[in-house]
């Protein structure tokens, strides 16, 4: 057992992998609607980051459902019940690989990957806008998902279900990016 741990440790020491974790300013917002009203839920408990090896990178985002706050405990409780968060506690996104040079400059890049939600994995393609302030990278994107695609039973208010479309906005920040990406 110690031999295997030593091999893993030595391998990690000589790996060319660079990890750029998201900082505490990162946020994911979901927006939903119903004929009676619209709402949004905010989550700043974002795990993951940008992982690069040589010139290839991926983005990994993991968001616990229980950390979304819509400002209404009843609505949040209904969301957790409808999404069966006890069985599927996270929303996860894993991008396809992309070239490191794509994130070294400001601008927009198209990124494809997979989102796992409610036990179902769907392909997602979105535009990410990359901006820098000093050495902090900000990646912003927005896209919509269908609750039906993820087999989420839509809650009802006054016998009318909420909209099938949920809009997501993501603002993901990484610190000290230029010192880590050479």
């Amino acid at each position: 057992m110690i031999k295997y741990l030593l091999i893993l440790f030595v391998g990690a020491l000589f790996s060319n992998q660079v990890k750029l974790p998201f900082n505490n300013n990162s946020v994911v917002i979901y927006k939903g609607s119903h004929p009676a009203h619209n709402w949004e839920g905010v989550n700043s408990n974002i795990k993951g980051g940008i992982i690069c090896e040589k010139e290839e990178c991926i983005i990994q985002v993991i968001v616990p459902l229980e950390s979304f706050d819509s400002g209404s405990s009843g609505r949040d409780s209904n969301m957790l019940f409808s999404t069966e968060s006890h069985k599927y506690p996270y929303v996860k996104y894993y991008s396809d690989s992309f070239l490191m040079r794509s994130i070294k400059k400001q601008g927009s890049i198209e990124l494809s990957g997979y989102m796992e939600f409610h036990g179902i994995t769907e392909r997602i393609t979105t535009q990410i806008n990359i901006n820098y302030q000093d050495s902090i990278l900000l990646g912003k994107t927005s896209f919509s998902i269908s609750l039906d695609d993820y087999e989420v039973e839509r809650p009802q208010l006054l016998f009318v279900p909420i909209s099938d479309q949920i809009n997501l906005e993501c603002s993901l920040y990484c610190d000290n990016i230029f010192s880590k990406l050479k």
Side-chain angles (χ1 to χ4, degrees), residues 22-23 25-29 46 138-141 169-173:
F22 299 130
N23 73 21
N25 293 322
S26 297
V27 66
V28 173
I29 300 170
I46 314 302
L138 167 59
K140 288 186 114 177
T141 188
E169 294 177 4
C170 305
S171 298
L172 304 170
Y173 294 83

Side-chain angles (χ1 to χ4, degrees), residues 1-168:
M1 177 68 162
I2 292 176
K3 182 171 130 180
Y4 294 114
L5 288 174
L6 184 60
I7 290 170
L8 286 174
F9 178 72
V10 170
L13 278 177
F14 294 105
S15 169
N16 289 333
Q17 193 175 71
V18 176
K19 295 180 182 177
L20 304 163
F22 299 130
N23 73 21
N24 293 336
N25 293 322
S26 297
V27 66
V28 173
I29 300 170
Y30 81 91
K31 296 180 179 184
S33 65
H34 183 272
H37 67 283
N38 297 330
W39 69 92
E40 66 181 45
V42 179
N43 192 330
S44 58
N45 185 12
I46 314 302
K47 306 297 181 212
I50 303 170
I51 302 165
C52 299
E53 188 152 351
K54 298 184 181 173
E55 287 297 313
E56 295 283 318
C57 299
I58 63 163
I59 295 176
Q60 175 185 30
V61 181
I62 302 170
V63 182
L65 286 169
E66 69 181 14
S67 297
F68 277 101
D69 182 3
S70 71
S72 167
S73 60
R75 182 173 34 241
D76 294 341
S77 178
N78 285 338
M79 181 273 292
L80 294 174
F81 179 79
S82 294
T83 59
E84 298 180 276
S85 66
H86 62 285
K87 285 172 42 176
Y88 313 108
Y90 300 100
V91 177
K92 300 175 184 176
Y93 174 81
Y94 302 95
S95 75
D96 294 338
S97 66
F98 57 93
L99 294 176
M100 185 186 301
R101 68 176 174 259
S102 301
I103 60 171
K104 286 185 174 180
K105 59 183 179 181
Q106 295 193 104
S108 181
I109 62 171
E110 184 174 281
L111 193 63
S112 295
Y114 295 91
M115 189 168 111
E116 181 184 325
F117 174 48
H118 197 242
I120 295 173
T121 303
E122 290 282 330
R123 186 136 181 89
I124 300 283
T125 300
T126 186
Q127 289 292 121
I128 296 182
N129 294 311
I130 305 287
N131 290 299
Y132 290 98
Q133 184 174 3
D134 300 322
S135 66
I136 298 173
L137 173 141
L138 167 59
K140 288 186 114 177
T141 188
S142 60
F143 57 95
S144 297
I145 63 166
S146 161
L147 292 175
D148 289 343
D149 286 350
Y150 291 94
E151 299 178 8
V152 174
E153 187 173 325
R154 294 184 283 151
Q156 296 183 9
L157 178 63
L158 304 172
F159 304 106
V160 177
I162 67 169
S163 173
D164 177 49
Q165 291 297 118
I166 297 295
N167 299 315
L168 294 160

